[in-house]
Amino acid sequence: MTDTPHLPDPIALTKTLLACESVTPARGAVFDVIEAALLPLGFTVARFVEGDAPDGPVENLLATRAGTGPHFAFAGHLDVVPPGAGWTGDAFVPEERGGLLYGRGAVDMKGAIAAFIAAIPVAPDIPLTLILTGDEEGPATFGTQALMARMAERGIKPDLCLVGEPTSAARLGDTIKIGRRGSVNLWIDVPGRQGHVAYPHLADNPVPKLVAILAEIDGIVLDEGNAWFQPSNIEPTDITVGNPATNIIPGHASARLSIRFNDGHRGAELVERLRAIVTRHAPEATLTARISGEAFLTQPGAFSTLIGDAIEGRLGLRPGLSTTGGTSDARFLSALCPVVEFGLCNATMHKLDEAVAVDDLVALAGVYGDIIARVGAMTI
């Protein structure tokens, strides 16, 4: 006779995860906790260390359990942002006060991961996969994308994926995310020729060229938004000349910009549009771009309705469907299958004294359990 595996308690498991200092890129102890929780539930757990400095090494975890029916995946990240100074207590010593559990990562997103693991039924039913990375908050170079490559090698392709990002706003379950805008960061460097301000004909001032570039970019209206997305926007985030003297024409000037764009655009097309502006005003200038992710939309349908039904049945409210906010690893996972994000309240994420309501952890585990059961009843 074999012992029945003990279902993890979401509160206790969250506390254990919070006690692990897993600032990006995360490795080691926090993954040990997850592996120890999943093995008794019959999962096969594979851990990978990916990449080298400066963006690595990163640890990732892929856990699979066989079953019959739709293949359901849960994705998340075990890394956290640095805590910063000024916490009431220790950011990595979990503490309950007034119905709240404090610790870096409580809502973003160790609490959701613990809640999902606590929701997994002991007896195998549908195929389940957990996709957990140690680098979502950082460059994400060796995070979820590397895990997806490992999945492709093993022929693992889920039918549906839930990402446990903290999507709730005022109350648990009031918002789920069905899409995200894309993101591009750009660096413009305009070279000039240094000289004395009294002899401008002997120099080449890059500042007017950069100003002209930025002025034209500022006049761009990318779109007015659409049914599911807010308007795309281009924002200058830094201008640097670095000239300590008042009587010197500088030798170069640079700027950094960020574009957040909806599903009416592709990152590469936006980069080339801005490159043409830069070249027109300063042919010798350089533009470097990094596309962090493309916009994606999971069209409202059976999956988002299923999640909404589970939330309404357990919590008594119907969630709104949203595409607002920053990016998440759902931008990568959307290439595999329909993806929806749903997790805890986000009011304290990345803030001092990050905290989750203990009752919300228990309630989220209940909703996640209902979602697993409802997915099992789907026909795909």
Side-chain angles (χ1 to χ4, degrees), residues 261-298:
F261 59 95
N262 60 38
D263 60 347
H265 306 276
R266 300 291 293 176
E269 295 169 358
L270 293 170
V271 170
E272 292 311 308
R273 183 173 178 180
L274 267 61
R275 190 185 307 278
I277 294 172
V278 171
T279 301
R280 184 162 55 252
H281 291 280
E284 69 283 10
T286 59
L287 183 146
T288 304
R290 178 178 178 183
I291 301 172
S292 301
E294 300 288 351
F296 80 93
L297 176 68
T298 297

Side-chain angles (χ1 to χ4, degrees), residues 339-366:
V339 178
V340 173
E341 301 174 46
F342 166 55
L344 294 160
C345 293
N346 56 29
T348 62
M349 65 177 180
H350 291 204
K351 294 184 178 180
L352 299 180
D353 291 339
E354 180 179 351
V356 59
V358 172
D359 289 345
D360 281 359
L361 279 176
V362 177
L364 183 63

Side-chain angles (χ1 to χ4, degrees), residues 34-108:
I34 295 295
E35 183 173 13
L38 291 175
L39 288 176
L41 293 172
F43 281 83
T44 298
V45 178
R47 293 165 63 173
F48 314 97
V49 176
E50 315 271 7
D52 299 313
D55 296 339
V58 173
E59 187 163 5
N60 297 311
L61 182 148
L62 184 64
T64 56
R65 189 172 79 174
T68 58
H71 183 173
F72 186 43
F74 177 86
H77 62 90
L78 288 159
D79 62 313
V80 299
V81 296
W87 283 64
T88 301
D90 189 318
F92 295 110
V93 177
E95 181 181 357
E96 281 190 59
R97 300 194 306 272
L100 298 176
L101 175 58
Y102 290 83
R104 175 56 87 220
V107 297
D108 191 16

